[in-house]
Amino acid sequence: MDEAKFQSQAQRIKAKLIQAKKADRKFKVFGAQSHKYQLNNPISIEQVTAIEQTMVFNYHHVTKLLLPK
């Protein structure tokens, strides 16, 4: 999958979180109370690289696209 498709997928994920939050304003869906349909503040790409090296695996490209540029 190319970067444009990854960007598109990341944007769909973010849009779905917004829709879910509007549909479940009181956080009644299982698990919603803990995350409240919000993404945590992203970590830096340097932190991702350090984790990948320590844990000997690579994050999926879509996950990295959610990081700030």
Side-chain angles (χ1 to χ4, degrees), residues 6-51:
F6 285 129
Q7 286 288 353
S8 176
Q9 185 175 7
Q11 290 304 317
R12 283 194 311 272
I13 291 168
K14 290 177 182 180
K16 287 180 182 182
L17 281 173
I18 292 168
Q19 290 174 344
K21 186 174 183 177
K22 287 180 182 177
D24 183 28
R25 294 185 188 273
K26 294 185 179 182
F27 310 115
K28 296 293 184 185
V29 174
F30 179 78
Q33 192 67 31
S34 65
H35 59 69
K36 296 184 168 81
Y37 302 103
Q38 295 180 5
L39 296 173
N40 290 332
N41 291 330
I43 61 175
S44 70
I45 193 67
E46 291 83 9
Q47 290 171 301
V48 170
T49 302
I51 293 168

